[in-house]
Amino acid sequence: MGNHILDIRDLYVWYRTYEGYSKVLDGVDFNVNKGEKVGLVGEAGCGKTTTMRSVLGILPEGQFHIPKGEILYHGENILKMKPQELHKIRSEGMSMIFQEPSAALNPVFTIGSQIFDVIKYSGEGNSAGSRSKNKEKIREKAIQAIREVYIPDPERILECYPNQLSGGMKQRICIAMAIVTERELLIADEPGTSLDVTIQDQVHRLLRDLVDKKGMSLVMITHSLGVAREMTDRIYVMYAGNIVEIADTKELFANPLHPYTLGLLASVPKLTGGGVTEGIYGQIPDYLNPPKGCRFYPRCDRADHSCQQEKPPLRDMGDGHYTACFKV
Amino acid sequence: MNKLHRYFLKRLFYSIFVLIGLSIVIFVIARVVPGDPARMALGPRAPQFAVDALREEMHLNNNLPTQYFYWVKGVATGDLGKSLVTKRNVTEDIKEFLPATLELVALSAVFVIMFSILFGALAARHKDKWIDSLIRVMAYTGVAMPSFVLAVLFLLFFGYIWPVIPVLGRLSAGLYAPPTFTGLYTIDSLLVGDLEVFWDALKHLLLPALALAVGPLFQEARIVRSSMTDNMTKDYLASAVAFGMPDRVVMGKYLLKPSMIPAVSVMGLDIAAMMGNAFLVEVIFNWPGISRFGMEAMLHKDLNAISAVIVVFGLIFVLVNILVDLIVAYLDPRIRLGGGV
Ligand SMILES: Nc1ncnc2c1ncn2[C@@H]1O[C@H](COP(=O)(O)OP(=O)(O)OP(=O)(O)O)[C@@H](O)[C@H]1O
Ligand SMILES: [Mg+2]
């Protein structure tokens, strides 16, 4: 398919730990089409953030190893790019909203200073014209972005430091930074998780509206299928570093196939819950010594001998619905 | 800002008590150690009546609180008493010796600040690469080597083997000290536009300042490195990288400023401590500084000189601490704007 913006193919990411390699991502396939809103859903620790950090090349330096895989951005492999090319994608192509807004903003610089830098280094700041005029333009842009995320009194906000703002405001600022310059792909890493429920809802709605208005593509990371249902066109369900099911959002809810997805769905009514509490027992496997076959079999009530022996591949079930399970 | 002002007023207020406490402690210590200062001042062959007269003049026959009262009364009027050794008012001695040490420590401080940031940032940037290892080895050597050993090495090397930099005193023979404004030769010579003296004074400063700086410099470099590597894993840094900001902005702005906060406090204390630690370096380089003066005062039980030097050191310590707090507050808005104080 030619219209993938982002196409992750068979990606393996391991972390170096004292006890050996923690084999987190285990052959991830993931793609985003132009204008599409895609969900990446799975419980805590399944590798969602790891996947998207590898896309932007911001995995912790020296602590990871990528034995295999490709991350194609408009067909070009990000993992093999020269620094300048990667730089261009980061400053003009994609932006990311981090899971924890308090951690994503630098505590010792004003909001203004940080937004200005995003604009300045995106290539949109340095058009022709005098320096002061340029500065004025950057400031205008920043103020406009803060208005767009519905924070009153943008002029004052520019002078504030992160610790003077509430969690919800900080997350809005992070959103403003991600959309202040034109980008085609927005990666949102559980942008509501650290906020309380009503604010979480507002942030999600805001994000969806902005993405629609600007015609951006969206990767929405969440541990809640309920959130994904409201926000996305297509969903990837991830379990322990594997994509276990892919389907259009409507199709997934109408016809869920993978036992893990079914377990997740059982926990949907509890939209606010932190993770999977009903439907599935046990926890994510140890990445140092992951199960040899299907990584889900220790928690799966359908598992049998074959599941322990071999890893189930993603199978096409028709209509763009894929699942990785021998028992479906 | 109001909160910050109040905070500093409070600090200033406490500082006064710190200084009073310090002066009492040192006053008592100086007086309870054995040996009669009057006898030491006049020498073993002086007649007893002269010694008695001096004891009376110095109020040594009064009880301690009374002695302290006389001393404080003097200090309040700018009279620190007479030195038994130089036979001058201690105020004169301080005026003469303090600027030499201030100049020395100031240049050392410049070295410490510049090179600790440079080495720390380099090591952090190239963490676990050979540059990091090299700086680590340099740091262990630098921290382990006492400044006086380094001073002796410099003296041997530049005094005998490769005499390109002067090793003794503040100025070469044949040059005259510039007129006194600040007492710092480099600054005073610049003020009157005498570049020859400036250059000569600077060259004389170089080795003692370096000897004094090396230890703290590498200690601070380690702190800068560790706080930088800590902060490198923070999301806000990943975020700056992910927004496509150039390396120089990510490292030089988003990483450097927060990483300096823990380093600045330690740096301030270390720089203030150099005032006292300068003693052996001053002796070796024949540097007429207050640290050497203070040590000699101790050896001669020169009571007024001891008290004066200690109080001056205390004052400098207090001032540096307040300065450090100001810098930290400038760097860290969490402190400046409340929440942290
Ligand atoms: N630097 C690291 N070194 C070692 N292991 C790591 C490192 N970073 C993450 N991991 C591990 O990788 C796994 C996946 O982490 P990741 O943050 O990608 O999960 P996630 O799906 O985003 O979870 P959450 O919902 O909690 O954010 C976790 O088990 C985590 O402990
Ligand atoms: Mg995460």
Side-chain angles (χ1 to χ4, degrees):
Chain A
M1 269 191 283
N3 55 350
H4 293 328
I5 294 177
L6 179 67
D7 189 1
I8 302 176
R9 292 185 183 171
D10 201 24
L11 180 67
Y12 289 73
V13 175
W14 297 353
Y15 287 110
R16 291 197 175 92
T17 71
Y18 288 115
E19 296 132 286
Y21 278 118
S22 176
K23 305 182 187 72
V24 175
L25 296 195
D26 188 49
V28 169
D29 290 301
F30 184 94
N31 59 58
V32 184
N33 298 311
K34 186 148 186 52
E36 197 184 22
K37 292 185 290 245
V38 181
L40 178 57
V41 184
E43 71 195 286
C46 73
K48 308 180 294 290
T49 301
T50 301
T51 309
M52 288 307 146
R53 275 184 189 251
S54 25
V55 170
L56 280 158
I58 49 170
L59 289 168
E61 218 179 300
Q63 292 174 34
F64 68 95
H65 174 59
I66 301 184
K68 201 173 154 196
E70 292 180 314
I71 301 173
L72 305 179
Y73 186 77
H74 289 295
E76 299 285 325
N77 190 354
I78 287 179
L79 298 176
K80 297 237 161 76
M81 265 182 199
K82 291 198 206 67
Q84 309 98 285
E85 294 173 290
L86 181 56
H87 196 265
K88 198 168 158 67
I89 292 178
R90 285 166 172 168
S91 58
E92 297 173 18
M94 318 182 249
S95 53
M96 178 153 169
I97 298 165
F98 286 73
Q99 194 161 352
E100 185 61 60
S102 316
L105 294 170
N106 197 311
V108 302
F109 293 103
T110 59
I111 301 295
S113 167
Q114 300 185 52
I115 301 187
F116 297 159
D117 277 346
V118 172
I119 303 170
K120 206 152 104 197
Y121 298 109
S122 70
E124 288 188 30
N126 38 25
S127 51
S130 73
R131 240 183 132 167
S132 62
K133 230 189 198 152
N134 235 334
K135 249 184 148 167
E136 197 43 49
K137 249 166 61 192
I138 289 177
R139 195 184 160 81
E140 276 309 309
K141 237 174 149 40
I143 289 176
Q144 175 62 26
I146 298 178
R147 287 224 175 85
E148 279 187 292
V149 296
Y150 300 113
I151 300 182
D153 203 357
E155 312 265 350
R156 192 181 59 83
I157 295 293
L158 288 179
E159 310 300 322
C160 284
Y161 288 90
N163 71 318
Q164 294 173 284
L165 306 181
S166 69
M169 288 235 264
K170 275 185 265 200
Q171 193 56 288
R172 279 162 197 268
I173 291 295
C174 289
I175 295 175
M177 285 168 86
I179 54 122
V180 67
T181 62
E182 215 173 284
R183 289 166 205 260
E184 59 178 344
L185 177 61
L186 179 62
I187 299 169
D189 190 354
E190 309 201 35
T193 309
S194 63
L195 310 172
D196 66 58
V197 196
T198 44
I199 299 184
Q200 191 175 326
D201 272 359
Q202 290 170 8
V203 165
H204 287 155
R205 218 169 305 135
L206 170 71
L207 196 62
R208 193 182 52 198
D209 294 348
L210 279 171
V211 166
D212 284 342
K213 189 169 103 189
K214 297 185 180 281
M216 298 167 103
S217 306
L218 172 72
V219 172
M220 177 75 191
I221 298 178
T222 171
H223 55 246
S224 153
L225 271 173
V227 171
R229 182 182 207 167
E230 285 177 33
M231 303 275 299
T232 64
D233 310 321
R234 202 153 60 89
I235 292 176
Y236 285 77
V237 179
M238 187 176 226
Y239 179 77
N242 289 130
I243 299 295
V244 296
E245 186 158 9
I246 311 170
D248 286 349
T249 305
K250 283 205 186 80
E251 162 72 12
L252 188 76
F253 280 87
N255 186 20
L257 296 177
H258 198 280
Y260 179 65
T261 312
L262 294 170
L264 274 183
L265 279 169
S267 67
V268 163
K270 299 175 63 187
L271 260 181
T272 61
V276 181
T277 46
E278 288 169 36
I280 311 171
Y281 297 97
Q283 17 175 288
I284 272 197
D286 175 12
Y287 287 116
L288 288 166
N289 303 296
K292 188 167 144 249
C294 175
R295 284 191 170 184
F296 187 57
Y297 91 78
R299 294 167 77 179
C300 182
D301 47 17
R302 296 190 209 168
D304 67 13
H305 190 67
S306 62
C307 302
Q308 302 185 24
Q309 292 309 309
E310 211 181 319
K311 192 180 143 179
L314 274 171
R315 278 185 302 142
D316 190 347
M317 313 300 287
D319 282 339
H321 196 156
Y322 296 80
T323 189
C325 181
F326 293 127
K327 301 291 155 197
V328 178
Chain B
M1 274 324 258
N2 213 346
K3 190 168 176 193
L4 194 71
H5 285 161
R6 231 179 310 140
Y7 172 64
F8 278 107
L9 279 179
K10 214 163 73 185
R11 284 294 309 264
L12 222 50
F13 186 67
Y14 286 144
S15 303
I16 295 169
F17 285 98
V18 171
L19 285 178
I20 292 175
L22 179 70
S23 70
I24 292 178
V25 170
I26 199 63
F27 189 87
V28 171
I29 289 179
R31 264 148 249 255
V32 294
V33 288
D36 181 357
R39 171 56 75 190
M40 286 176 84
L42 296 175
R45 274 175 297 169
Q48 188 58 40
F49 71 85
V51 173
D52 287 340
L54 186 60
R55 283 188 65 84
E56 194 56 41
E57 189 194 325
M58 291 171 69
H59 310 293
L60 288 178
N61 295 329
N62 296 99
N63 58 15
L64 274 181
T66 315
Q67 290 187 41
Y68 183 70
F69 171 75
Y70 278 115
W71 183 75
V72 169
K73 209 171 98 185
V75 171
T77 58
D79 174 13
L80 293 168
K82 236 167 100 177
S83 160
L84 300 178
V85 178
T86 64
K87 310 277 193 270
R88 293 191 298 182
N89 195 307
V90 180
T91 322
E92 295 299 311
D93 290 329
I94 301 272
K95 268 194 206 147
E96 181 180 337
F97 297 119
L98 179 61
T101 298
L102 282 181
E103 193 170 30
L104 181 62
V105 170
L107 187 63
S108 288
V110 171
F111 286 154
V112 169
I113 293 167
M114 269 180 11
F115 289 109
S116 65
I117 295 175
L118 183 73
F119 287 143
L122 263 179
R125 183 73 194 85
H126 302 281
K127 182 170 176 258
D128 300 329
K129 307 268 163 53
W130 67 267
I131 296 187
D132 186 22
S133 314
L134 178 71
I135 293 175
R136 192 193 317 263
V137 171
M138 282 164 63
Y140 290 156
T141 320
V143 172
M145 175 122 54
S147 56
F148 69 87
V149 174
L150 211 57
V152 169
L153 290 179
F154 283 167
L155 189 69
L156 287 176
F157 187 78
F158 291 102
Y160 297 98
I161 301 174
W162 195 42
V164 288
I165 308 179
V167 288
L168 292 179
R170 295 179 80 184
L171 277 183
S172 300
L175 288 180
Y176 292 100
T180 305
F181 300 108
T182 60
L184 313 186
Y185 285 2
T186 47
I187 291 180
D188 288 349
S189 61
L190 277 185
L191 285 177
V192 295
D194 190 341
L195 288 183
E196 193 194 355
V197 170
F198 169 76
W199 188 234
D200 192 67
L202 192 63
K203 280 199 287 192
H204 277 83
L205 268 171
L206 210 58
L207 292 178
L210 205 57
L212 201 53
V214 163
L217 183 165
F218 281 111
Q219 195 132 351
E220 259 64 280
R222 297 297 298 168
I223 296 175
V224 171
R225 178 197 179 274
S226 82
S227 81
M228 276 195 159
T229 48
D230 278 356
N231 287 337
M232 270 179 179
T233 63
K234 296 268 166 74
D235 274 357
Y236 59 71
L237 222 65
S239 169
V241 173
F243 275 121
M245 294 184 198
D247 214 38
R248 107 194 105 79
V249 176
V250 174
M251 296 290 146
K253 178 174 177 180
Y254 286 90
L255 179 59
L256 186 62
K257 194 175 171 193
S259 305
M260 283 312 293
I261 294 167
V264 164
S265 330
V266 186
M267 245 182 237
L269 290 181
D270 272 0
I271 288 171
M274 284 199 287
M275 295 291 297
N277 296 343
F279 160 62
L280 283 169
V281 170
E282 289 182 353
V283 170
I284 292 167
F285 287 103
N286 196 24
W287 194 262
I290 195 169
S291 199
R292 200 177 80 176
F293 171 75
M295 201 55 75
E296 275 159 16
M298 304 255 181
L299 297 178
H300 290 98
K301 214 162 182 306
D302 187 349
L303 294 183
N304 288 331
I306 295 173
S307 309
V309 168
I310 298 287
V311 168
V312 166
F313 278 9
L315 192 66
I316 288 171
F317 232 93
V318 163
L319 289 179
V320 168
N321 260 313
I322 291 177
L323 187 68
V324 162
D325 282 350
L326 277 171
I327 296 175
V328 169
Y330 159 75
L331 288 175
D332 193 346
R334 286 163 295 190
I335 290 180
R336 187 165 6 123
L337 302 169
V341 176

